[in-house]
Amino acid sequence: MQAMLSTRSGPRRRALVAAAATAALTLGCASLPTARADGDDDPGLSRFYDQKISWSTCDVDGVPDDLQCGRVSVPLDYARPGSGSLDLALARYRATGDKRGSVVLNFGGPGGAGVPELAYGGKPFMELTDGYDVVSFDPRGVGRSSPVSCGDEEQGGLSALDDDDALGDPATVLARLREAAAACARNSGPVLPHIGTVNAARDLDVLRSALGDKKLNYLGFSYGTRLGAVYAAQFPGKVGRVVLDGVDTLTEPLTEQGVAGARGQQTALDDFVDWCVRDIACPFGHDARTAREAVVRLVWSLDENPLPSDHGDDFTGQDLVAALGQGLYSKELWPSLERALALLVEDGDASGVTAFATGGMALPMGRPAAAEPTPLVEPEDVPLDNLPAALVAINCADDPDRPTAEQITGDLQRLRAAYEEASPVFGRYRLSEVLLCYGRPKGTDFIREKVKDVDTPRMLLVGTRGDPATPYRWTEETAERLGDSAVVLDNKGDGHTGYGSSKCVHRKTDDFLLYGSLPPDGSSCGAEETD
């Protein structure tokens, strides 16, 4: 199951490296709501809360026949709901048993499109259709829902950390970061100033109402746990059965998250290499130590001598890093990743690894009769760099910290050393993600200041001890922050999130969502119960 990823993709260097470039950049977080909102009691929002979703078959080859597609309209700016709207792409599997409502899934990111994830990876969730319609969506700015982009300009600032010469000159880095911000502003639509988790949580409440549910039942993975926590703080009275798996931090600044992310991805890469070298087809040989060295050399070699690409920009080592980051979070993807890397190493063909970074957006949606001012874009019009562009935009919108030019100038070499020590493969990439918030408008402080001590029904938080992306300590810290409503399930296995890899976590999650049966706070699932 490929859920719960730190998503990245891209149109060559803009996308793949933009993932680096995209994990921080929010251009304009204006008019982010900061107060608790009871949207369905607001007359200005009534037309959004009163809408009904028109579902239709998706009618796409390779998609299950019982998948349905639709859309829901949300305000572009919740502070001025009459100023415009946008459509969110939806997909669902209908309940097969006695329907008690819907359960909404968010697979992670930020920047991950939920519709293709549910379409092509929905099998693990089918047991939930015993009581629910199982629904997912492309959040605002993502996938077919008014996607943001940083464009195709050759010098958009996205290669700020591609070479050692640039890293030795902070002034050059700062100039390139400013160029990156301007490129994203030029190439993203009006949704960009209104992107971020606070607004996405308000969209989630509009979706809840349009689905006909009085309360939100929700299963969020990785970044999706941030979205679920923000929803709980904004709409405590609308919280139903909520599960947060692979719990994100609500308080750590991006710089600390970046180091933790680089270290976790390096651990996942090491595990992949250990697995790969036991296979005769592994393109890096059969000794783990030399295979790890070969991966590092491959990244360096492609940064020095990129491969020509049919997409315009050459394929660089940082493009490869972005693709690796996409392929490592789920062990089910490892055989495909191995084949793609073999194609690259043995034939000089980057098409396989590129597929890991571009994401699947070619899923048409059902279309109701009434078109909105900013309707869903066609699949072929989703920018290739949307995943990394959205990742950066959302992370920056959610973080109030902005490094100054003086701080970047003084700290650049120290930060570079810390990140490359955390991971010789992912360090530079993750540092790019952090630096790209430079020069952007201040993000909201709502998450850091207000998402705590929520007055909601009890929620299940799942933390996995060997999680390479969301450290277990984040589960403990977020549970303490949320207060008495948080019930922690300690999954003693490995991998990012537990639902797709641990039968125990899967069973306890479904028992809670379907029957309201919560495990005791602090209970655990043993490592021997993971697949």
Side-chain angles (χ1 to χ4, degrees), residues 262-272 274 328 422-423 426 466 468:
R263 188 177 295 115
Q265 286 181 302
Q266 186 64 47
T267 298
L269 178 60
D270 291 346
D271 291 344
F272 167 76
D274 288 342
L328 287 173
S423 171
F426 296 97

Side-chain angles (χ1 to χ4, degrees), residues 284-408:
F284 303 114
H286 305 292
D287 176 78
R289 181 182 62 81
T290 58
R292 292 188 183 98
E293 293 171 352
V295 173
V296 174
R297 287 196 303 271
L298 179 61
V299 171
W300 289 352
S301 175
L302 286 170
D303 276 336
E304 289 291 326
N305 299 290
L307 284 175
S309 166
D310 294 337
H311 299 275
D313 292 333
D314 293 340
F315 185 85
T316 71
Q318 296 309 299
D319 293 343
L320 174 59
V321 171
L324 288 172
Q326 185 80 330
L328 287 173
Y329 282 120
S330 170
K331 291 184 178 180
E332 291 185 1
L333 295 175
W334 287 6
S336 297
L337 180 61
E338 180 189 38
R339 289 191 294 271
L341 288 169
L343 196 64
L344 175 65
V345 171
E346 296 165 7
D347 299 333
D349 184 347
S351 61
V353 288
T354 298
F356 277 95
T358 55
M361 299 297 174
L363 185 66
M365 297 289 111
R367 187 179 186 86
E372 291 292 331
T374 51
L376 303 180
V377 303
E378 294 304 315
E380 62 270 17
D381 294 329
V382 177
L384 288 175
D385 75 323
N386 174 240
L387 288 175
L391 187 150
V392 166
I394 294 166
N395 275 343
C396 290
D398 288 358
D399 194 301
D401 295 334
R402 289 294 181 271
T404 65
E406 292 77 14
Q407 287 172 325
I408 291 177

Side-chain angles (χ1 to χ4, degrees), residues 424-447:
V425 173
F426 296 97
R428 178 181 293 184
Y429 189 96
R430 297 305 294 253
L431 178 57
S432 296
E433 295 180 336
V434 171
L435 292 179
L436 278 160
C437 279
Y438 167 73
R440 300 304 141 209
K442 180 181 178 181
T444 181
D445 59 4
F446 181 88
I447 299 173

Side-chain angles (χ1 to χ4, degrees), residues 19-253:
T22 329
L25 185 153
T26 271
L27 317 165
C29 325
S31 60
L32 282 172
T34 58
R36 179 179 297 178
D38 294 317
D40 46 4
D41 295 330
D42 185 337
L45 297 174
S46 60
R47 73 182 181 96
F48 298 102
Y49 275 86
D50 292 342
Q51 67 187 300
K52 302 299 180 185
I53 300 169
S54 176
W55 296 99
S56 62
T57 58
C58 298
D59 193 24
V60 181
D61 290 342
V63 172
D65 293 339
D66 55 346
L67 184 74
Q68 294 184 319
C69 294
R71 64 179 61 200
V72 67
S73 178
V74 297
L76 177 66
D77 181 355
Y78 279 92
R80 298 182 301 131
S83 64
S85 63
L86 57 94
D87 283 350
L88 304 182
L90 311 175
R92 76 169 179 180
Y93 291 103
R94 299 188 66 181
T96 57
D98 293 332
K99 180 179 174 181
R100 66 195 69 180
S102 302
V103 59
V104 178
L105 311 182
N106 182 282
F107 294 96
V115 169
E117 285 282 4
L118 185 62
Y120 301 115
K123 184 177 179 181
F125 306 97
M126 289 302 97
E127 292 176 14
L128 293 174
T129 60
D130 287 347
Y132 295 108
D133 288 347
V134 176
V135 179
S136 193
F137 65 107
D138 293 357
R140 59 171 58 210
V142 173
R144 299 192 63 206
S145 303
S146 298
V148 296
S149 172
C150 293
D152 289 333
E153 294 93 339
E154 185 61 29
Q155 289 299 323
L158 300 178
S159 57
L161 300 183
D162 269 8
D163 59 82
D164 289 337
D165 291 340
L167 281 173
D169 181 9
T172 299
V173 172
L174 293 172
R176 292 184 179 181
L177 293 176
R178 285 190 290 267
E179 291 171 5
C184 295
R186 283 193 301 272
N187 290 284
S188 292
V191 70
L192 189 58
H194 309 289
I195 203 167
T197 304
V198 173
N199 276 325
R202 300 200 69 171
D203 295 343
L204 195 54
D205 198 54
V206 172
L207 174 58
R208 171 200 59 77
S209 180
L211 290 169
D213 292 341
K214 292 184 177 180
K215 295 194 174 184
L216 176 72
N217 303 304
Y218 178 80
L219 174 54
F221 300 99
S222 194
Y223 161 77
T225 69
R226 188 197 311 173
L227 178 59
V230 172
Y231 181 90
Q234 286 186 300
F235 303 97
K238 304 296 174 58
V239 171
R241 295 172 184 173
V242 169
V243 180
L244 310 179
D245 184 1
V247 183
D248 200 357
T249 179
L250 299 175
T251 57
E252 283 195 1

